[in-house]
Amino acid sequence: MAKSWVNSWTDSAERIGADLHLDLSEPSGASGSGGRRAALTRALRDAVREGRLAPGTRLPPYRSLAADLGVARNTVADAYAELVAEGWLTARQGSGTRVAERAEPLRRAERVPRRTAQVPPRTRGPRHDLRQGTPDASAFPRAAWLASYRRALQQAPNEVFGPGDPAGRVELREALTEYLARARGVRTEPGRIVICSGFGHALRLLFGQDRSQDKGGGCAVLRGPLAVEAYGLGFHRELLAAAGVRTVPLPLDEDGARVDRLGRERAALLTPAHQFPTGGPLHPERRAAVLDWARARGGVILEDDYDGEFRYDRKPVGAVQGLDPERVIFIGSVSKSLSPAVRLGWMVLPERYVDDALAAKGEREAWASVLDQLCLADFIASGAYDRHVRRMRQRYRSRRDRLVAALATHAPHIEVTGVAAGLHAVLRLPPGTERSTVKAATWQGIALDGLAEFRHPAATEPDMPVRDGIVVGYATPSEHAYGAALEALCGVLPPPGE
Ligand SMILES: Cc1ncc(COP(=O)(O)O)c(C=O)c1O
């Protein structure tokens, strides 16, 4: 079928004036009424998506468009119905079929996950950013950070400006030793800490660099296969895959990872304080059981303490590392507490891994700015870090409370999973509604992820505590934008019984 210029739709009373070019050429092999319907649906969808058909535009009656295009009336009716179901068009008795009045869809470039290697520059963000992963950027403690930077720079000896120690500045390792013991129950000493640029970097150091660039696989401290939770950050799985590490999904239930299902792996990556992203803590019996497993197998636990400081129900759990420092590599960073832009993190290592971790880092500090390390050391030692975390804890607790209250009022059938903690929450949705909810959110200019994004590709259904859900990063918007984001979110949740 050929291309068609459809201008008989023009109706001066309506918002149509320009000719509309519909390209109905069919992909090879697609012929017949099914092929024509698909081609028309695609052409109309493209016209709306590209803005050639503006919101509110009234579409021609089935009969006239069918005549214009030389297709059956039902072909047009089916195409309209499909686009109504997808949310591109609306159909109301008496006012015909129109292009939906809605937020502009996000551009493709803006939907690229933030964690891919080549992120195109963002031209415009979503109206409501509820993606997990970032703290409230408007709350970065600029003045206190600047004061720490100034002090650090004034006091820094000249050797600071030479090549850095791959272990990291001793001032920072000392400050972390004290802070992590006090705040997270970590048992260590500065000599067991290696500074890095964040959790992802820690994984790279431990498992070797990208195999495609380094045929030897780097000087890996650990080897796979690695047990990981059935839900986790895809970026971390990709990074491990690039290092040639096979990951094996561990099922999850309400008590966290099923550590009784650990098999022949020698290492397990867990988020014990707050399972990412489903939100439950690892049950105390499982904390003990996983350590027994590590002792029995000569294995090691990688403890990802990505948001351990943010617990709101007065039941904080300390690090598993504190129970057996020789069986756990504890990894943290400032990405949630301060900002992922700072790019500073730490590994607290069992004695036997320290030398290999330092060797993996190289002869000099090539990753984490030494000046930033000194600044963070001052920031922690001066008490500014504690003050900031306390302030943010209050803010995020109130955000989570507001989310729970809004759901209780507007969508009482939607449940928040997990404990009151962290910077995000998973909302459990009625079965089969995850994709349509994420789509509806996109249409309303709300950026968020469905739970499926986080599922290990080899995980099976019984491995999952929640099937359909969305992950809501309630910390991400600035304070003034949060109310509107919440309201918009409630507007796209599926109704009860769907
Ligand atoms: C599960 C999880 N682990 C770790 C991190 C920290 O990553 P990084 O320190 O590389 O920014 C994040 C993101 O902030 C995360 O979501």
Side-chain angles (χ1 to χ4, degrees):
M1 189 180 308
K3 301 173 184 194
S4 169
W5 291 92
V6 181
N7 52 16
S8 59
W9 310 4
T10 309
D11 170 352
S12 57
E14 300 288 348
R15 276 190 269 159
I16 309 178
D19 288 343
L20 182 73
H21 177 222
L22 286 179
D23 181 358
L24 299 194
S25 45
E26 292 155 7
S28 58
S31 59
S33 67
R36 283 194 287 274
R37 195 204 63 229
L40 176 58
T41 309
R42 178 181 45 74
L44 284 169
R45 193 190 289 115
D46 286 350
V48 178
R49 185 190 276 141
E50 289 159 16
R52 287 181 288 131
L53 273 176
T57 302
R58 184 173 184 165
L59 297 191
Y62 305 154
R63 202 178 306 110
S64 55
L65 184 57
D68 268 350
L69 298 174
V71 299
R73 191 177 166 279
N74 275 351
T75 304
V76 179
D78 288 350
Y80 280 13
E82 194 170 330
L83 293 170
V84 168
E86 289 179 9
W88 300 91
L89 305 180
T90 56
R92 259 192 220 106
Q93 200 126 39
S95 81
T97 307
R98 291 174 183 268
V99 177
E101 288 283 5
R102 47 155 171 65
E104 227 183 289
L106 299 182
R107 289 184 199 143
R108 193 167 285 283
E110 290 158 2
R111 276 191 272 146
V112 171
R114 278 174 296 179
R115 294 187 172 279
T116 49
Q118 283 128 19
V119 181
R122 278 219 228 150
T123 46
R124 235 186 66 199
R127 266 200 302 163
H128 306 290
D129 193 351
L130 289 173
R131 283 172 293 190
Q132 71 72 36
T134 22
D136 178 348
S138 71
F140 187 83
R142 294 174 192 234
W145 187 256
L146 201 58
S148 284
Y149 218 108
R150 184 173 292 116
R151 272 196 303 272
L153 217 49
Q154 276 163 351
Q155 291 161 14
N158 285 344
E159 45 108 358
V160 160
F161 302 97
D165 177 350
R169 283 300 298 188
V170 68
E171 294 90 335
L172 179 55
R173 290 183 285 121
E174 281 169 358
L176 284 170
T177 300
E178 186 277 328
Y179 172 77
L180 294 175
R182 176 165 55 73
R184 303 294 305 123
V186 169
R187 288 194 283 151
T188 190
E189 39 155 359
R192 303 268 198 103
I193 298 181
V194 173
I195 300 300
C196 55
S197 73
F199 184 83
H201 184 213
L203 282 186
R204 286 193 173 98
L205 291 171
L206 292 172
F207 289 96
Q209 305 295 315
D210 189 338
R211 287 261 157 108
S212 59
Q213 287 162 28
D214 176 354
K215 298 281 184 262
C219 38
V221 179
L222 303 173
R223 304 231 166 255
L226 171 71
V228 297
E229 293 160 330
Y231 284 96
L233 214 49
F235 170 68
H236 293 159
R237 289 192 296 264
E238 285 161 22
L239 193 152
L240 288 159
V245 176
R246 188 165 67 86
T247 55
V248 183
L250 268 185
L252 292 166
D253 63 19
E254 291 69 31
D255 291 332
R258 292 280 309 274
V259 297
D260 57 318
R261 302 279 278 274
L262 279 164
R264 297 154 59 88
E265 303 83 22
R266 297 287 293 278
L269 169 57
L270 301 176
T271 47
H274 187 219
Q275 202 286 319
F276 181 87
T278 59
L282 188 64
H283 191 279
E285 280 170 18
R286 294 196 184 166
R287 288 158 66 96
V290 73
L291 285 169
D292 287 345
W293 165 85
R295 289 181 201 118
R297 280 204 62 77
V300 67
I301 299 154
L302 273 63
E303 180 168 19
D304 177 1
D305 198 52
Y306 66 102
D307 67 359
E309 288 112 331
F310 296 99
R311 179 90 188 228
Y312 313 129
D313 55 4
R314 300 200 169 78
K315 295 185 211 154
V317 282
V320 173
Q321 190 270 1
L323 302 176
D324 191 343
E326 285 308 316
R327 289 289 146 211
V328 180
I329 300 177
F330 176 91
I331 307 170
S333 80
V334 298
S335 291
K336 301 279 190 194
S337 55
L338 277 169
S339 155
V342 175
R343 300 305 330 138
L344 279 178
W346 45 86
M347 289 186 281
V348 178
L349 295 149
E351 179 88 59
R352 65 188 182 286
Y353 295 128
V354 174
D355 287 346
D356 284 350
L358 289 175
K361 210 149 166 230
E363 282 177 16
R364 47 170 65 187
E365 179 57 81
W367 310 96
S369 152
V370 175
L371 300 182
D372 288 351
Q373 291 184 40
L374 285 176
C375 174
L376 181 60
D378 181 277
F379 198 73
I380 295 171
S382 67
Y385 191 76
D386 283 82
R387 280 193 294 281
H388 178 68
V389 167
R390 267 203 305 276
R391 190 161 71 87
M392 297 320 291
R393 201 182 282 136
Q394 271 174 11
R395 177 173 294 197
Y396 299 149
R397 169 188 290 163
S398 128
R399 297 253 183 119
R400 192 177 187 282
D401 289 349
R402 285 168 68 188
L403 170 65
V404 172
L407 292 176
T409 307
H410 301 291
H413 57 294
I414 307 274
E415 181 204 346
V416 179
T417 69
V419 289
L423 282 64
H424 71 275
V426 170
L427 310 193
R428 189 196 299 264
L429 300 179
T433 60
E434 180 179 314
R435 279 182 61 187
S436 55
T437 305
V438 174
K439 213 166 173 183
T442 306
W443 275 106
Q444 294 305 325
I446 308 168
L448 48 71
D449 291 306
L451 199 49
E453 287 282 314
F454 301 89
R455 192 175 298 152
H456 192 292
T460 56
E461 227 165 74
D463 298 347
M464 306 162 189
V466 187
R467 269 190 47 210
D468 283 75
I470 47 172
V471 182
V472 175
Y474 51 76
T476 309
S478 58
E479 197 67 0
H480 76 272
Y482 185 58
L486 211 47
E487 200 177 312
L489 174 69
C490 288
V492 299
L493 294 174
E498 195 170 287

